[in-house]
Amino acid sequence: MGLPTIGILSAGVFGVFALSLVLPLFVALVEGNWRALEAIFLVAVGYGFLSAVTILSLSRRARTLNRAGVFMAAITVWLSLIAAAVPLFILVEGQQLVPAIFEASSAAVTLGATLRPPADLSPSMTFYRATVAWVGGLTTLTLAVYVLGPYRVGGIPNANLRQVQHARTENDPRIFVTLQSIAAPYLALTITCAMLLIIVRVPADDAIVVAMSMLSTNGFVPPGSTTSVLDNRLAEIVMMVFMLIGATSIIWHRLLVARGGEGSREHHEGMRYLAAIGALVVMAILAAIFAPPLGRPGFESAFNYVFDMISIATTTGITHDLRLGVSIPFEAILIIVFIGGCSYSTAGGIKAFRLLTMLKHVGNELDRLVYPSAILRDDVQYDTQQRIIAKSVWSTFFLGVLAVTIALLIFAAQGHSLPSAMALAAGAFSQVGNLVDSAVPGLSQGVASDATLLTIAALATIARIEILVVLAAITGNRW
């Protein structure tokens, strides 16, 4: 299975994680938080040493991974990132093991829920949570390019994968070149978002944390007042724009810059996704006009509805006004978050391209009832490739429904009411932090049991890895 190669990849995760600790280390130094400074420094040095020694000792034994090995490596990379994030929650915040695992998982998979009230977090640990999520977003994109795309996991399109993946052969993956083509625009967009927030007078420290969360579609942001998330309309408009950027395909971004992206699957997916978001925004504005909350001006309620709609649709999971909660009907939330964002993005859910593929397939089957002998576009009856894609897409859909259903039953067995269990299952599956928070109102006060925390963490992690990847790693089959 290539255990030395998997070991090298795991060590690489610890090495990248060690480098990412520079930012929270600097914040701890400026803050004068010597406990955090010492812990972060020792963890960074330890991870760096462990990574270097492991890579040097295993490099000569590295082998090309087969399909099952690639999928097992993807799982190992995610578990390594979560494991790397755990110790600082214990060392700095004094958390027990299970809460620390939940915090690390929530940050790494960009769920964004936390067991501490954001107002009580030190600046260094605030930056630490945002940094872990930002690295988690980068990991999501990298594994999508190296695992999900090449193996068509769940029917994901890969026609334009070469825009970001630069591997020549299986023996020459050119990981660093590919990582650069992913990380450079990801970092540039994060810096752009932070600069725009600073320009509209958001404090620099808050701007950096928010920018990292927007591009990783992470639900963790610094605490604002009870009025709105940042108390700054222009800043919140910037947030909505970058939520949408984070939830759309990095390949589409590259195509738009290079040649407009016309005719590509990513272009169709991205444009239809944005059109759907636009339709939801119009509905939110109409709801604000005809059914505004009591005592809320029209513009204020409309802005609140639109922000929450975009936040939920992109699976970022930030509530605009904590006094009102998520201002979207609960049934609509469950459908929207399950769909999620686009392929090759940091958003959760089953992804919009799968919904489009299923709708196309259903449309073809309905047309076949009317025209039994017709040869239709993307027809699974005559096109083997389309049949394989349809099988993969529907498999992902039904496995997602099954996973959410099983999680719902587990949460219900743990004592949660049915609406709360549904919100927990959907929120964890699609990594939507405010949905999880709303289902357990006392989450940040430590009222959730260890069993609930572990269930949320496990479901969120499996969904982020992709359920088909887990099954393929176990069975060795291609899905």
Side-chain angles (χ1 to χ4, degrees):
M1 185 173 288
L3 291 180
T5 304
I6 294 176
I8 290 173
L9 292 173
S10 178
V13 172
F14 278 84
V16 171
F17 192 86
L19 292 175
S20 72
L21 293 179
V22 171
L23 181 57
L25 183 70
F26 175 76
V27 173
L29 177 63
V30 174
E31 177 194 3
N33 188 338
W34 306 118
R35 178 177 179 177
L37 179 68
E38 180 182 12
I40 295 171
F41 177 77
L42 291 176
V43 167
V45 172
Y47 285 173
F49 178 77
L50 174 66
S51 175
V53 170
T54 303
I55 292 173
L56 289 174
S57 63
L58 295 178
S59 58
R60 293 186 178 181
R61 299 168 56 191
R63 298 291 184 272
T64 301
L65 297 174
N66 58 20
R67 183 183 298 115
V70 169
F71 294 154
M72 186 60 69
I75 296 172
T76 302
V77 165
W78 272 114
L79 295 180
S80 297
L81 177 58
I82 293 171
V86 167
L88 282 177
F89 291 107
I90 298 174
L91 295 173
V92 179
E93 295 185 341
Q95 300 201 33
Q96 298 298 315
L97 180 60
V98 170
I101 292 174
F102 173 83
E103 293 274 17
S105 302
S106 175
V109 303
T110 71
L111 174 63
T114 178
L115 301 179
R116 297 288 181 89
D120 295 344
L121 297 177
S122 65
S124 54
M125 290 307 292
T126 296
F127 270 83
Y128 178 69
R129 283 171 167 83
T131 300
V132 174
W134 193 86
V135 174
L138 180 61
T139 303
T140 299
L141 297 176
T142 302
L143 291 180
V145 168
Y146 265 110
V147 178
L148 304 184
Y151 290 93
R152 304 300 300 272
V153 175
I156 188 170
N158 64 2
N160 295 294
L161 192 57
R162 291 293 180 182
Q163 293 289 328
V164 290
Q165 190 198 66
H166 300 282
R168 291 173 177 168
T169 65
E170 289 187 355
N171 295 319
D172 184 17
R174 305 188 72 184
I175 291 178
F176 292 108
V177 179
T178 299
L179 188 59
Q180 180 181 357
S181 69
I182 298 171
Y186 185 57
L187 177 60
L189 287 169
T190 304
I191 293 173
T192 301
C193 180
M195 293 300 297
L196 289 174
L197 291 172
I198 292 171
I199 290 172
V200 295
R201 300 188 177 183
V202 175
D205 53 345
D206 288 351
I208 295 171
V209 171
V210 170
M212 288 193 288
S213 292
M214 295 305 96
L215 270 299
S216 60
T217 60
N218 177 37
F220 177 77
V221 292
S225 73
T226 56
T227 304
S228 66
V229 62
L230 285 180
D231 302 325
N232 184 323
R233 289 284 182 266
L234 290 177
E236 289 156 3
I237 291 173
V238 172
M239 288 176 66
M240 288 188 282
V241 170
F242 281 90
M243 285 183 205
L244 292 171
I245 292 175
T248 49
S249 171
I250 58 168
I251 295 178
W252 185 40
H253 300 164
R254 181 63 66 89
L255 289 171
L256 288 175
V257 172
R259 52 185 175 84
E262 294 292 341
S264 68
R265 286 182 179 269
E266 293 82 8
H267 181 72
H268 294 313
E269 178 193 20
M271 293 303 295
R272 289 171 182 173
Y273 177 74
L274 293 180
I277 296 289
L280 292 174
V281 166
V282 171
M283 292 172 61
I285 293 173
L286 292 176
I289 294 173
F290 294 105
L294 293 176
R296 308 283 289 182
F299 175 79
E300 186 176 346
S301 62
F303 194 93
N304 183 69
Y305 284 178
V306 170
F307 186 99
D308 283 354
M309 185 67 77
I310 292 176
S311 173
I312 289 292
T314 59
T315 72
T316 307
I318 300 171
T319 302
H320 183 258
D321 191 328
L322 295 177
R323 296 173 301 176
L324 299 176
V326 184
S327 55
I328 305 172
F330 182 66
E331 296 79 3
I333 291 176
L334 296 181
I335 297 172
I336 294 170
V337 300
F338 186 73
I339 297 170
C342 296
S343 59
Y344 301 104
S345 74
T346 58
I350 64 167
K351 302 295 189 296
F353 80 90
R354 292 191 177 109
L355 175 65
L356 294 173
T357 301
M358 289 188 293
L359 291 175
K360 179 66 175 178
H361 183 205
V362 170
N364 278 353
E365 294 305 309
L366 292 175
D367 286 341
R368 195 184 309 284
L369 294 175
V370 181
Y371 307 105
S373 302
I375 299 178
L376 306 170
R377 183 180 180 184
D378 296 334
D379 195 337
V380 299
Q381 183 172 342
Y382 301 103
D383 191 328
T384 303
Q385 184 65 25
Q386 292 300 323
R387 184 163 59 249
I388 293 173
I389 292 174
K391 176 185 175 181
S392 298
V393 167
W394 283 104
S395 297
T396 302
F397 173 75
F398 285 115
L399 283 171
V401 172
L402 179 62
V404 170
T405 303
I406 292 173
L408 187 157
L409 295 175
I410 293 173
F411 287 127
Q414 292 169 353
H416 298 279
S417 65
L418 181 59
S420 295
M422 293 174 68
L424 282 172
F429 179 82
S430 297
Q431 301 93 48
V432 183
N434 60 351
L435 193 53
V436 172
D437 286 333
S438 66
V440 187
L443 186 67
S444 60
Q445 281 74 44
V447 302
S449 66
D450 286 353
T452 295
L453 296 179
L454 289 177
T455 305
I456 294 171
L459 177 60
T461 302
I462 291 172
R464 177 57 86 184
I465 294 172
E466 287 267 1
I467 298 174
L468 288 179
V469 170
V470 177
L471 290 177
I474 296 173
T475 64
N477 295 330
R478 179 173 180 172
W479 292 79

